[in-house]
Amino acid sequence: MDESSSEDRADALFHALSDRTRRDILRRVLAGEHSVTALAAGYDMSFAAVQKHVAVLEKAGLLTKRRNGREQLASGDVEAVRSVASMLDELEAVWRGRIARIDALLTEET
């Protein structure tokens, strides 16, 4: 994966996770497969609005859908969530490195 597509993927993941409802949907589908209809019943919004949230999560690769008759069943993708955690770990390592360098500079000055 080149750097541009890697950054596009990160943008899609963090955009999908930036919304409280989407995070809640993701928690629910990581715990087990749910029909989109059952997911929608848990929110004070239209079915279409929940479908849009599910579509954002699906586009980001955080969940997958499959058809079972007339139902659409959604499942969370644990590996995708792990990739988000890995990205956050990388960012934390950068900041910890910067803090360590600042600490070293402050120690040298005293």
Side-chain angles (χ1 to χ4, degrees):
M1 186 179 290
D2 68 10
E3 186 176 339
S4 176
S5 62
S6 176
E7 289 299 313
D8 289 345
R9 171 133 171 86
D11 287 348
L13 287 167
F14 287 108
H15 168 71
L17 294 171
S18 70
D19 182 86
R20 175 179 305 173
T21 300
R22 288 193 290 268
R23 290 190 305 272
D24 190 62
I25 290 169
L26 182 60
R27 277 191 286 275
R28 291 174 65 189
V29 297
L30 284 168
E33 189 173 60
H34 290 277
S35 72
V36 176
T37 303
L39 288 170
Y43 300 101
D44 189 21
M45 61 181 72
S46 70
F47 178 78
V50 172
Q51 273 186 312
K52 287 179 184 179
H53 283 302
V54 168
V56 170
L57 290 164
E58 184 178 31
K59 184 177 178 187
L62 290 163
L63 68 72
T64 56
K65 286 190 313 192
R66 70 178 182 88
R67 279 218 171 270
N68 184 22
R70 291 184 0 197
E71 287 187 315
Q72 289 186 8
L73 301 174
S75 301
D77 186 329
V78 174
E79 286 305 312
V81 173
R82 285 189 181 128
S83 74
V84 172
S86 176
M87 285 181 221
L88 291 172
D89 288 344
E90 288 175 27
L91 291 172
E92 181 183 7
V94 168
W95 281 103
R96 286 189 182 277
R98 289 179 179 177
I99 291 168
R101 287 193 299 277
I102 291 169
D103 285 345
L105 287 170
L106 292 173
T107 303
E108 288 175 12
E109 289 181 7
T110 56

